[in-house]
């Protein structure tokens, strides 16, 4: 039988639907075009893709820890606006679709005794392009990672707050338990999930796991854990993987993301804390096998997954903050345990503290927006693949 293009496409779709490995030839190079959106963002730390003014276009919010202004850049021309003022040592924010407010963590320090961990709610006025009002709702030492989640499977989002360390922790061991909490919009009262994590909790990731309810993955000195709100209202916590096996405080995981190769799920991590390794975990349910695919990051600080070429298999993006600093892309050449092909999206342009995967140009595949700490800039990497 002759293999026609339509038969090949049908066979490819069947392989992807089954979650099976594909050969290297299926993973074609992905190219990006670099656009500098902003400079002078002192201590650039987080970028969030969000439709701030609700005009149907995805804007970019740029959080810089060395500034007291929270800025956003309006698509498609990236006009600069001030979202809020008077915010000292900002570290993270959560902007949730379907929620009117934005939540910001500020007054942060790595040393817990010096970190007030203020959490504030920003509320827009009639004109969403004008500065929003700021109202403090909580103080939780080293409040560090804020994320939107639908923990009960409903359409109503909550905001999860994962502090960096416990209130009694000291460097370098950071020996203390770390609370994990969330807030319901409108009530804005702290609700405790657990205090089971220990050491440094640097990364969290929100994802559906076994049903429509989203769960929380945490990356800490103890490894990667899954936190789930059960239907009876109780929380369960499951260890997925211990991360880098080096002894405390040099082991565990720093950041985590979830991707898919067809139907097969994988985990991608940076290890250890602010580490040099990119690791991939493959398996099923709560049994995962670790494969290190890169050991050359210098202060690895952000990891994401996304299907940038539309082949049904997610790629991995990892950014690092120290020289030569930059952003790498990893493409699967088979299953998660197979070799991953590394390419460089950027080197020397952005000391990537954080990136966001988003479609920022109509008709394109998802691209990247990355914010630099040492480079103090916001850069958009436009994916040149068409949809």
């Amino acid at each position: 039988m002759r293999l026609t293009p339509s038969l090949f496409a049908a066979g490819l779709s069947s392989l992807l639907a089954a979650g099976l490995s594909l050969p290297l030839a299926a993973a074609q190079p992905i190219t990006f075009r670099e656009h500098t959106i902003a400079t002078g963002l002192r201590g650039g730390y987080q970028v969030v893709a969000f439709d701030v003014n609700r005009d149907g276009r995805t804007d970019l919010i740029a959080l810089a820890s060395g500034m007291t202004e929270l800025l956003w850049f309006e698509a498609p021309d990236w006009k600069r606006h001030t979202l809020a003022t008077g915010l000292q040592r900002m570290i993270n924010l959560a902007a949730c679709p379907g929620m009117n407010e934005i939540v910001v963590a500020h007054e942060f320090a790595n040393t817990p005794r010096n970190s007030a961990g203020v959490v504030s709610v920003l509320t827009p006025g009639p004109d969403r392009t004008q500065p929003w009002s700021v109202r403090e709702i909580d103080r939780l030492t080293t409040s560090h990672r804020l994320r939107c989640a639908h923990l009960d499977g409903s359409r109503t989002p909550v905001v999860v707050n994962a502090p960096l360390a416990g209130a009694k922790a000291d460097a370098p061991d950071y020996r203390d338990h770390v609370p994990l909490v969330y807030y319901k919009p409108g009530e804005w009262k702290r609700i405790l999930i657990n205090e089971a994590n220990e050491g440094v909790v640097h990364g969290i990731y929100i994802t559906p796991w076994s049903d429509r309810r989203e769960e929380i993955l945490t990356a800490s000195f103890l490894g990667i854990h899954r936190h789930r709100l059960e239907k009876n209202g109780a929380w369960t916590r499951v260890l997925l993987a211990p991360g880098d096996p080096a002894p405390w405080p040099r082991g565990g995981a720093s950041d985590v993301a979830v991707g898919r190769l067809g139907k097969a799920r994988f985990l991608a991590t940076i290890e250890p804390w602010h580490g040099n390794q990119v690791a991939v975990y493959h398996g099923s349910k709560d049994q995962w096998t670790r494969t290190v695919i890169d050991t050359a990051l210098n202060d690895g600080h952000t990891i994401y997954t996304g299907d940038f070429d539309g082949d049904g298999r997610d790629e991995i993006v990892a950014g690092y903050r120290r020289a030569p600093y930059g952003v790498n892309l990893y493409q699967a050449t088979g299953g998660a345990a197979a070799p991953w092909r590394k390419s460089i999206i950027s080197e020397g342009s952005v000391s990537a503290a954080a990136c966001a995967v988003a479609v920022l140009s109509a008709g394109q595949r998802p691209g990247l927006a990355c914010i630099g700490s040492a480079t103090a800039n916001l850069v958009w990497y436009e994916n040149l693949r068409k949809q």
Side-chain angles (χ1 to χ4, degrees), residues 369-386:
C370 297
I371 193 166
S373 50
T375 51
N377 57 348
L378 177 63
V379 180
W380 166 35
Y381 296 98
E382 178 187 4
N383 188 347
L384 298 183
R385 288 286 185 95
K386 301 292 184 181

Side-chain angles (χ1 to χ4, degrees), residues 221-255:
F221 281 4
L222 294 181
I224 307 158
H225 287 84
R226 180 172 63 85
H227 308 258
R228 174 181 173 86
L229 178 61
E230 302 293 348
K231 292 181 179 179
N232 63 4
W235 282 91
T236 55
R237 175 177 176 269
V238 176
L239 175 67
L240 298 181
D244 187 300
W248 185 299
R250 295 181 298 275
S254 184
D255 294 275

Side-chain angles (χ1 to χ4, degrees), residues 310-335:
D311 69 351
R313 303 184 302 172
D314 286 337
E315 288 75 44
I316 301 170
V317 171
Y320 56 103
R321 296 188 299 181
R322 294 186 184 177
Y325 47 73
V327 184
N328 297 336
L329 180 76
Y330 307 85
Q331 291 176 269
T333 63

Side-chain angles (χ1 to χ4, degrees), residues 45-48 63 70 87 89-96 99 101-108 117-122 135 137-149 158-164 179-183 188 190 201-206 216-217 304 354:
Y45 196 84
Q46 185 194 21
V47 55
V48 174
L63 181 150
L70 180 61
L87 298 170
R89 303 194 309 277
M90 292 179 285
I91 196 69
N92 237 227
L93 68 86
C96 310
M99 191 173 78
E101 299 90 350
I102 291 173
V103 184
V104 180
H106 52 111
E107 296 192 31
F108 171 83
V118 177
V119 181
S120 293
V121 170
L122 312 183
R135 177 169 63 93
I137 61 165
D138 197 13
R139 293 196 173 208
L140 182 59
T141 301
T142 70
S143 291
H144 181 252
R145 290 288 180 262
L146 299 180
R147 295 291 185 270
C148 308
V158 301
V159 175
V160 177
N161 180 4
L164 180 76
L180 182 64
V181 307
Y182 70 97
Y183 311 93
W188 300 122
R190 185 199 307 171
V201 180
H202 187 262
I204 64 173
Y205 189 86
I206 310 299
I216 307 165
L217 270 58
Y304 277 89

